[in-house]
Amino acid sequence: MIHSLFLINHLGDIFLEKHWKSVISRSVCDYFFEAREKAVDPENVPPVLQTPHHYLISIYRGKLFFLSVIQTEVPPLFVIEFLHRVADTFQDYFGGCSESVISDNVVIVYELLEEMLDNGFPLATESNVLKEMIRPPNILRSVVNTLTGGSNVGETLPQGQLSNIPWRRAGVKYTNNEAYFDVTEEIDAIVDKSGTTVSAEIQGVIEACVKLSGMPDLTMSFMNPRLLDDVSFHPCVRFRRWESERILSFIPPDGNFTLMTYHISSQNLVAIPVYVKQSISFFEAGSCGRLDITIGPKQTMGKTVEDLKVTVHMPKAVLNANLTASQGNYTYDFTTKLLVWDIGKLNPQKLPNLRGSLSMQTGVPNPEENPSLNIDLKIQQLAISGLKVSRLDMYGETYKPFKGVKYVTKAGKFQVRT
Amino acid sequence: MPYLGGEETVRELRRALSNPNVQSDPLRYRNTILKVIRTMSQGVDVSGLFSEMVKACATVDVVQKKLVYVFLCSYATLNPELSLLVINTLRKDCQDPNPMVRSLALRNMTNLRLPSLVEYVEQPLTAGLRDRAACVRRVAVLGWAKLHNLQPSSEIDAAVVNELYSLLRDPDPVVMVNCLRALEEILKEEGGVTINKPITHHLLNRLKECDIWGQCEVLRVLQRYRPQSEDELFDILSLLDSFLVSPHPPVMAATLSLFLSVSSNLPAISLAALERVSGPLLAACGSGSREMRFAAVCHIQLLLRSVPGLLGTHYKRFFCGYAEPAYIKERKMQVLVELVNDENVAMILDELKGYCTDVNTDTAQAAISAIGRIGRSYSDRCLQILTGLLGLKQDHITSAVVQTMRDLVWVCPQCSDTVCLALEGCEETLQDIQGRQALLWLLGVYGERISSAPYTLEVLIDRVRSEASLGIKMELLTATMRLFLCRPAETQDMLGRLLHYCIEEETDMCVRDQALLYYRLLHCGIEKTREVLQGRRSDPSLGVLIGRPAKPVSQWARCFNTLEPLSQGAVEAESNSRGSPEHVTYSPKPNADLSDTLSCSHIEEVHSGAEKIEEVDCAWIEECVRCPAVLHCSPQSLQAAMQLVNIQTLAFTPQHMLPWRVYLYTHTQLRVSEDGQEEEEGIKVILNQQPKDDDALRQFLTILITVLNTLSSKKD
């Protein structure tokens, strides 16, 4: 199925290759480089390319291309999902997925790729299983290893692979038994010039960190489970129970894992936490423009908006920006044409405002398109959809665990058109 | 950069590896090997260290073993003799009490891929199939597939194949799936693993235990199974129902694929499955990964072919974000065009208008041509937008708009007045070849209504010497000729100059031949010229039917969940927006292979095909069908009746016109397009068929007559 994998950085250098069947020469990537050249922007390279003898399927993650070479017809969704799984695993192991991180851990990367795919077929991709076979690097362990000559490879067979519950290892023991859940919601929205919402949806995820001894059986119930219509669970969740009672019942994996993800796409349920008043105009004469942006709270449910940040991709003709911010500070990078205004906390009594003039290149026609504003924000202790966990119960073990739920709302792809 | 200083590094590494002091210190030894692997991953050729690395293989340290194996597997093919030395260590490791070491050894033994080593590998592989640890069995099963790939000619022992079949019932689901994969490869010649009733039911029952990759694999293999009875079919379908709404897009797609293939003769079930799957597919369209979004949108395009109205209410999900890559935007726009209806047309056009000024020129042009496609049904609103865009005076936008207008005018001749008005003055902004070609075509065809047409052409004719593009010269010739026919006084002089230049000075044969042809044509008299150059135009009274007819699911079911929709759609869009083959056919080029052009044309081009009846009788067959009763039924009922027998009605003339004409199109394994002319006492049917098949033709005519007879008898 998957013949070879090439990792390529954004400059177009192949810095890692792995072949599961016979070795395929690097020259196959030339077709990819050609398309990369044509696309100008690395993001615009089409994910599927056809060459005379192979298909090239690639994903672009964190300025890296994961390029797989395939010889026969395959389900594209399958390959794309797998490549993302590889990238996720690297992220999970090394805390990042950049060229330097991968080159530093090249040996573990090879080991992981070897375990994840055999003869081109996916083998072990569950992070818990992999972590028992190949331990993730950390500073303490690498110090210990250099002193004692120990290794990153687990000496024993992962227990989970033979147990009835493949995601949980047997014989877990903790002195402090604790279970924490983070409910994170991201708002993806497009708001148009007049302030009406063009499209809006919420991408939610519940991340869990469960450190409980033995074989606990947990149930989690929500105050308002009807909100959730489009959900996807970790394999440990009993789906029947959810369908009939809208309760999450599961034996958790040990450690960190993603319990569920959900979308809320019906627009009337999606609250937009801030409003933006802006005017950006470019004058025909005098080669300059004006910019005026004000942000205020809209539907914040009484919580404070933090880490507020506005990013504007300016048109090419804008040379410099001469602005004053009533709160926070701004930077304009004239090579990337990126205006970033870092506001911080939103104070409803005194609305932050950024205004001033833009200097433009002379002799260039006015940009026909006004730039759009990307907004970043964070609201602690609030899930903007109104989702709330009502209780968490544990069965199967006798001790009393420490439990906690944290909510946070962030802006995902939040965009205001001008 | 990494290729520099390679030799020096290799020499240094060799010295370190063969240093006894290093060898005695396990930590230093391992670090040296690590360095070798690092250098290897940078692309330096370290194959010279092979013999040193073979020695390093004999160790108890699992990490060191793994590292050495990575090295050996990459370079074994270059040193087959030395690799023989490794085999001994590997075979010893296969006896190790630790299952991890056993599986590692077994895997790498097969990864060496040396035909000379096959005899040493077979025995441990056979033992591996019966190992008590599942992870060893997993590796061993796939090992047989690798052996087979190594020597595709030599038969794998029948006993092994039997053993693999029995391992399909292994308690470990991964072993089961790996068995399927191995058997598929080994038995490729015989059409893959045998899928009979017991195996199918066994696989289906254990589907839940597999991971998502395994589920996809099983579902894919099961597509070959044909249920023996309807009851069994429904049992299977209800078992698979929960997988159809799986949150993992690959599983969902594989399940739908299986649904479509087993229920291929039950269209109602296929349609129900499509409806059920639209939710998860839409969710995948909003997935975090842009590649996943792209694949999902492409598959939605497939779905829409059969159920055009499926996602009408969800059109907002296909609005493009600012930062989305161009390839997704392009697909989303294609979907938006499909989803247009009376309620959302204003919103969609507003949105598309915003994309027209995108920074990426390709996206902008795609948006413009999308508006043009919508213009076929909602021409007034779209023309307003397009005319507005001309005011921006951006050359790539103007070019796309002019091309779009040309395409639109062809289908909707009633727009021509607006287009003619809009064209004034845009020749200054046009830079690229395609845009100028489109402008020339429009000037030629609607020259009498554009007052500045002769002056525009004159400027171009004066500059024809420095013109590099062949297409422009040809188009210029045709346009000037056409303009001459309607405005001779203003054009005569420049036509003379142009013909003179093309015949006397032009070096390109095509242009010269065409100019000669026109010259001789003019000699034959003005009437003849008019006849050739102004063949029938598209009829302004022709009502174009709104919306695309639904195609049967079976037409695309096979390519669902394959790479085809991801690449093929792009080609289709290309031919729709850029190529515009109808205009190529239209200009009477002596060297154009007309039948070829017709055969590659899509539904829309049947109109243009119809224009050419007189000239291309080789492609069109005329049949007179005597219909006993005179037909005066309504076009709607005719269309409905035709749809029942899978004949699409493309267009018809207004009811009171005589002769009443209707354009039909059908698509069997063969392609028959038909243009019926109904007269008082019977119907004349003019047919175009690609490729020719008399049998199909006769059948088609019988069907047609039956339909007409039924309709008229109902009327009585």
Side-chain angles (χ1 to χ4, degrees):
Chain A
M1 189 160 274
I2 294 172
H3 222 101
S4 304
L5 179 75
F6 292 96
L7 296 191
I8 300 171
N9 65 14
H10 66 288
L11 297 172
D13 298 321
I14 303 171
F15 65 94
L16 195 125
E17 58 185 297
K18 168 90 188 147
H19 307 277
W20 284 276
K21 293 189 166 189
S22 52
V23 176
I24 292 177
S25 144
R26 283 181 175 207
S27 60
V28 73
C29 296
D30 290 350
Y31 295 97
F32 175 78
F33 294 137
E34 208 174 285
R36 160 85 180 74
E37 199 84 341
K38 220 174 5 183
V40 187
D41 216 1
E43 288 191 354
N44 285 347
V45 184
V48 179
L49 295 170
Q50 199 176 349
T51 76
H53 302 290
H54 309 275
Y55 290 105
L56 306 177
I57 299 186
S58 60
I59 62 162
Y60 185 62
R61 280 269 297 251
K63 298 201 167 164
L64 293 184
F65 287 103
F66 289 70
L67 177 79
S68 58
V69 182
I70 279 147
Q71 264 184 334
T72 49
E73 180 67 66
V74 289
L77 291 165
F78 183 99
V79 180
I80 290 171
E81 173 101 2
F82 179 79
L83 291 176
H84 275 292
R85 188 68 71 89
V86 173
D88 288 342
T89 310
F90 290 168
Q91 179 87 35
D92 193 23
Y93 260 75
F94 314 127
C97 191
S98 66
E99 183 186 0
S100 59
V101 167
I102 291 178
S103 307
D104 286 348
N105 296 295
V106 76
V107 177
I108 298 186
V109 168
Y110 271 121
E111 286 179 42
L112 280 174
L113 290 177
E114 184 76 8
E115 290 296 340
M116 291 182 84
L117 218 58
D118 190 11
N119 202 27
F121 299 113
L123 200 62
T125 52
E126 183 67 29
S127 133
N128 274 318
V129 174
L130 280 172
K131 277 196 180 150
E132 281 182 54
M133 288 198 273
I134 303 155
R135 292 197 192 119
N138 62 33
I139 294 173
L140 183 68
R141 189 171 304 129
S142 53
V143 171
V144 174
N145 284 352
T146 19
L147 294 177
T148 60
S151 71
N152 279 332
V153 173
E155 298 287 339
T156 50
L157 182 73
Q159 308 250 335
Q161 278 191 312
L162 292 173
S163 82
N164 283 334
I165 302 159
W167 56 83
R168 189 174 177 90
R169 62 192 168 97
V172 187
K173 252 203 153 64
Y174 288 103
T175 40
N176 292 328
N177 288 299
E178 42 195 18
Y180 298 112
F181 295 88
D182 285 354
V183 181
T184 310
E185 294 194 339
E186 291 196 355
I187 311 169
D188 288 354
I190 303 179
V191 177
D192 79 358
K193 212 184 285 185
S194 58
T196 43
T197 314
V198 178
S199 76
E201 59 182 39
I202 293 175
Q203 317 260 16
V205 57
I206 301 184
E207 306 264 8
C209 174
V210 177
K211 293 183 173 163
L212 298 175
S213 318
M215 274 288 170
D217 196 334
L218 301 178
T219 50
M220 179 190 266
S221 50
F222 297 102
M223 305 269 258
N224 35 11
R226 302 279 154 205
L227 275 176
L228 309 167
D229 51 349
D230 180 9
V231 286
S232 114
F233 296 115
H234 188 274
C236 67
V237 176
R238 298 182 182 104
F239 192 60
R240 277 281 147 73
R241 193 88 195 268
W242 167 257
E243 277 201 318
S244 57
E245 300 169 52
R246 296 275 149 171
I247 282 176
L248 294 184
S249 152
F250 55 97
I251 295 176
D254 186 38
N256 294 318
F257 66 102
T258 305
L259 180 63
M260 70 185 269
T261 59
Y262 57 91
H263 285 265
I264 295 175
S265 51
S266 50
Q267 251 176 48
N268 43 6
L269 287 177
V270 182
I272 304 290
V274 293
Y275 71 86
V276 180
K277 267 199 290 195
Q278 35 65 26
S279 80
I280 302 179
S281 48
F282 303 107
F283 302 121
E284 198 72 55
S287 69
C288 67
R290 288 207 61 78
L291 177 142
D292 190 337
I293 305 174
T294 312
I295 297 190
K298 201 173 171 188
Q299 296 161 286
T300 54
M301 330 259 173
K303 301 277 200 269
T304 346
V305 180
E306 294 169 33
D307 292 354
L308 195 58
K309 197 161 103 180
V310 180
T311 315
V312 192
H313 282 270
M314 283 295 179
K316 279 206 189 75
V318 177
L319 281 184
N320 213 339
N322 190 5
L323 309 167
T324 38
S326 71
Q327 186 187 343
N329 43 12
Y330 78 95
T331 51
Y332 180 67
D333 183 347
F334 92 110
T335 44
T336 53
K337 307 287 175 200
L338 216 58
L339 174 70
V340 181
W341 178 26
D342 205 334
I343 303 170
K345 224 174 237 168
L346 178 67
N347 180 1
Q349 269 77 50
K350 192 170 159 289
L351 300 182
N353 166 277
L354 178 75
R355 73 171 82 198
S357 61
L358 305 167
S359 60
M360 318 265 295
Q361 214 169 334
T362 39
V364 177
N366 272 338
E368 72 271 14
E369 186 186 31
N370 272 336
S372 68
L373 279 53
N374 291 319
I375 311 240
D376 265 329
L377 55 85
K378 199 159 124 187
I379 305 173
Q380 300 278 14
Q381 295 307 328
L382 171 72
I384 197 91
S385 67
L387 186 76
K388 265 212 159 70
V389 176
S390 68
R391 53 184 301 136
L392 181 76
D393 299 310
M394 187 184 73
Y395 304 96
E397 297 290 332
T398 47
Y399 55 83
K400 214 163 160 44
F402 188 77
K403 305 174 280 194
V405 183
K406 206 169 81 186
Y407 301 92
V408 64
T409 298
K410 291 181 191 165
K413 288 169 269 179
F414 193 130
Q415 178 190 332
V416 180
R417 293 179 179 169
T418 61
Chain B
M1 181 202 65
Y3 288 89
L4 295 180
E7 265 172 62
E8 188 52 43
T9 331
V10 172
R11 214 172 302 138
E12 216 165 87
L13 284 173
R14 171 172 307 133
R15 213 173 302 132
L17 279 176
S18 40
N19 183 345
N21 287 333
V22 174
Q23 286 181 2
S24 57
D25 180 353
L27 202 60
R28 274 174 76 193
Y29 204 19
R30 195 163 81 201
N31 283 340
T32 321
I33 292 167
L34 225 140
K35 247 180 244 160
V36 176
I37 303 291
R38 278 231 168 100
T39 346
M40 185 180 95
S41 73
Q42 284 162 3
V44 178
D45 180 19
V46 283
S47 59
L49 300 173
F50 201 85
S51 54
E52 282 81 8
M53 290 299 268
V54 170
K55 273 182 221 139
C57 181
T59 165
V60 282
D61 183 0
V62 183
V63 180
Q64 185 168 337
K65 259 195 214 305
K66 273 194 178 179
L67 294 179
V68 175
Y69 289 154
V70 168
F71 178 91
L72 293 181
C73 291
S74 331
Y75 290 114
T77 34
L78 300 174
N79 292 297
E81 290 86 21
L82 284 172
S83 309
L84 205 61
L85 299 174
V86 199
I87 279 290
N88 237 338
T89 334
L90 282 171
R91 285 186 61 142
K92 211 159 71 207
D93 280 352
C94 287
Q95 316 289 334
D96 198 280
N98 183 347
M100 200 119 145
V101 175
R102 289 205 299 272
S103 69
L104 191 67
L106 211 52
R107 182 188 305 159
N108 286 289
M109 207 183 269
T110 45
N111 277 354
L112 289 175
R113 295 178 204 288
L114 289 173
S116 53
L117 300 183
V118 168
E119 46 181 323
Y120 304 100
V121 179
E122 275 183 355
Q123 191 268 326
L125 266 186
T126 321
L129 286 182
R130 297 186 199 117
D131 200 286
R132 65 201 146 70
C135 68
V136 181
R137 291 200 299 272
R138 293 174 183 178
V139 173
V141 166
L142 276 185
W144 282 106
K146 293 183 202 165
L147 271 200
H148 177 74
N149 282 345
L150 210 54
Q151 297 180 303
S153 50
S154 74
E155 281 284 306
I156 292 274
D157 196 359
V160 173
V161 174
N162 279 340
E163 188 140 14
L164 285 177
Y165 267 116
S166 66
L167 275 177
L168 279 177
R169 305 197 178 262
D170 193 275
D172 182 76
V174 180
V175 174
M176 175 184 92
V177 175
N178 277 357
C179 263
L180 266 187
R181 291 164 170 160
L183 284 170
E184 281 284 282
E185 282 193 16
I186 294 171
L187 303 175
K188 209 184 205 160
E189 307 269 284
E190 300 156 36
V193 56
T194 329
I195 295 294
N196 53 23
K197 197 169 166 182
I199 290 184
T200 308
H201 287 213
H202 168 71
L203 289 176
L204 280 174
N205 286 331
R206 299 201 46 191
L207 200 53
K208 275 215 174 74
E209 300 166 29
C210 304
D211 57 357
I212 60 167
W213 321 112
Q215 289 175 351
C216 292
E217 197 71 34
V218 170
L219 291 167
R220 196 178 58 81
V221 171
L222 288 183
Q223 281 186 31
R224 288 207 300 271
Y225 182 65
R226 291 278 160 267
Q228 281 137 7
S229 69
E230 200 137 287
D231 285 344
E232 192 193 351
L233 171 71
F234 286 114
D235 283 348
I236 293 178
L237 292 187
S238 55
L239 197 70
L240 287 175
D241 191 60
S242 63
F243 291 95
L244 202 55
V245 287
S246 154
H248 300 285
V251 178
M252 177 269 298
T255 318
L256 182 62
S257 223
L258 177 60
F259 254 73
L260 296 181
S261 82
V262 291
S263 62
S264 54
N265 37 19
L266 296 167
I269 294 199
S270 313
L271 288 180
L274 293 187
E275 216 140 282
R276 201 153 154 68
V277 98
S278 63
L281 255 182
L282 266 183
C285 284
S287 131
S289 124
R290 54 176 88 77
E291 293 81 12
M292 192 61 88
R293 287 207 295 274
F294 172 69
V297 174
C298 291
H299 281 99
I300 282 188
Q301 279 187 300
L302 274 188
L303 247 67
L304 287 178
R305 285 198 207 169
S306 287
V307 208
L310 184 62
L311 301 170
T313 49
H314 298 284
Y315 65 96
K316 280 197 178 171
R317 301 290 283 269
F318 299 96
F319 283 1
C320 308
Y322 183 75
E324 268 181 319
Y327 56 87
I328 296 188
K329 285 187 182 170
E330 200 174 307
R331 291 307 179 102
K332 281 192 167 175
M333 285 188 254
Q334 287 173 16
V335 173
L336 280 177
V337 170
E338 303 273 328
L339 296 182
V340 165
N341 58 32
D342 288 343
E343 280 107 63
N344 59 24
V345 62
M347 289 290 283
I348 290 184
L349 280 178
D350 236 29
E351 187 70 19
L352 283 174
K353 196 169 130 191
Y355 307 151
C356 290
T357 45
D358 198 282
V359 201
N360 187 322
T361 40
D362 287 336
T363 311
Q365 294 186 334
I368 293 169
S369 79
I371 293 181
R373 303 271 298 178
I374 297 177
R376 296 180 184 188
S377 333
Y378 301 93
S379 48
D380 290 344
R381 299 173 197 231
C382 294
L383 275 174
Q384 205 185 337
I385 295 176
L386 290 175
T387 327
L389 286 172
L390 284 177
L392 292 175
K393 305 257 177 225
Q394 295 273 322
D395 57 354
H396 70 271
I397 294 181
T398 312
S399 158
V401 170
V402 172
Q403 287 175 58
T404 307
M405 284 182 164
R406 171 198 60 188
D407 294 348
L408 187 61
V409 149
W410 185 258
V411 191
C412 310
Q414 66 272 18
C415 314
S416 57
D417 288 330
T418 329
V419 170
C420 288
L421 278 179
L423 282 180
E424 304 268 354
C426 65
E427 71 273 1
E428 283 147 33
T429 24
L430 277 178
Q431 298 293 323
D432 66 328
I433 294 171
Q434 274 147 341
R436 276 154 64 199
Q437 250 177 321
L439 179 69
L440 281 172
W441 187 86
L442 283 166
L443 288 178
V445 177
Y446 295 104
E448 71 247 80
R449 284 192 258 162
I450 306 172
S451 54
S452 67
Y455 312 106
T456 315
L457 286 183
E458 185 155 30
V459 175
L460 282 169
I461 290 171
D462 288 341
R463 271 191 252 143
V464 73
R465 248 167 264 272
S466 52
E467 180 60 61
S469 149
L470 177 69
I472 298 253
K473 286 182 192 167
M474 306 266 262
E475 201 69 63
L476 185 60
L477 261 176
T478 317
T480 319
M481 279 296 282
R482 283 198 183 132
L483 199 61
F484 172 69
L485 291 176
C486 55
R487 300 166 78 166
E490 293 158 285
T491 329
Q492 186 175 16
D493 181 53
M494 59 174 102
L495 176 65
R497 269 184 286 147
L498 182 63
L499 284 178
H500 182 266
Y501 164 78
C502 288
I503 295 171
E504 297 290 326
E505 295 177 43
E506 177 59 45
T507 46
D508 188 276
M509 269 310 157
C510 282
V511 180
R512 195 169 161 270
D513 276 352
Q514 196 169 4
L516 273 177
L517 173 89
Y518 287 148
Y519 182 68
R520 289 174 190 144
L521 203 57
L522 287 169
H523 271 292
C524 299
I526 200 76
E527 275 317 307
K528 268 270 173 291
T529 319
R530 201 180 294 273
E531 214 171 279
V532 172
L533 271 176
Q534 298 189 320
R536 266 194 284 161
R537 302 221 175 135
S538 44
D539 188 347
S541 61
L542 208 70
V544 174
L545 295 172
I546 293 171
R548 249 216 278 188
K551 290 181 187 166
V553 179
S554 57
Q555 206 174 57
W556 51 265
R558 248 181 332 105
C559 66
F560 189 85
N561 201 21
T562 65
L563 292 167
E564 205 178 313
L566 273 73
S567 48
Q568 159 232 21
V571 178
E572 195 178 276
E574 192 78 9
S575 79
N576 278 344
S577 57
R578 294 283 105 79
S580 58
E582 62 255 47
H583 309 302
V584 181
T585 8
Y586 198 90
S587 66
K589 255 181 268 173
N591 56 347
D593 191 348
L594 279 169
S595 57
D596 259 1
T597 333
L598 280 175
S599 74
C600 72
S601 61
H602 295 284
I603 300 179
E604 297 101 69
E605 281 82 6
V606 177
H607 301 285
S608 75
E611 313 281 295
K612 306 292 288 182
I613 301 165
E614 288 87 355
E615 286 158 58
V616 207
D617 12 33
C618 58
W620 293 84
I621 310 149
E622 214 169 288
E623 292 274 344
C624 270
V625 182
R626 292 274 150 198
C627 204
V630 186
L631 255 165
H632 283 297
C633 56
S634 74
Q636 279 72 29
S637 62
L638 177 72
Q639 188 192 352
M642 289 297 185
Q643 211 126 49
L644 279 181
V645 288
N646 281 334
I647 298 175
Q648 305 297 344
T649 319
L650 284 172
F652 38 77
T653 53
Q655 217 169 348
H656 46 80
M657 254 181 56
L658 276 175
W660 192 69
R661 266 175 293 154
V662 55
Y663 296 89
L664 304 173
Y665 174 88
T666 189
H667 186 109
T668 52
Q669 272 83 357
L670 305 150
R671 181 192 294 244
V672 181
S673 14
E674 187 249 22
D675 160 56
Q677 279 195 7
E678 209 177 313
E679 282 155 21
E680 273 306 318
E681 74 289 355
I683 344 166
K684 192 163 85 187
V685 183
I686 304 169
L687 292 146
N688 174 18
Q689 187 188 27
Q690 301 283 344
K692 280 208 166 44
D693 180 341
D694 289 336
D695 266 350
L697 207 69
R698 223 170 300 124
Q699 276 166 17
F700 171 73
L701 283 175
T702 351
I703 293 173
L704 190 67
I705 295 167
T706 327
V707 172
L708 293 178
N709 280 337
T710 327
L711 266 179
S712 52
S713 65
K714 221 193 283 170
K715 183 112 184 129
D716 300 336

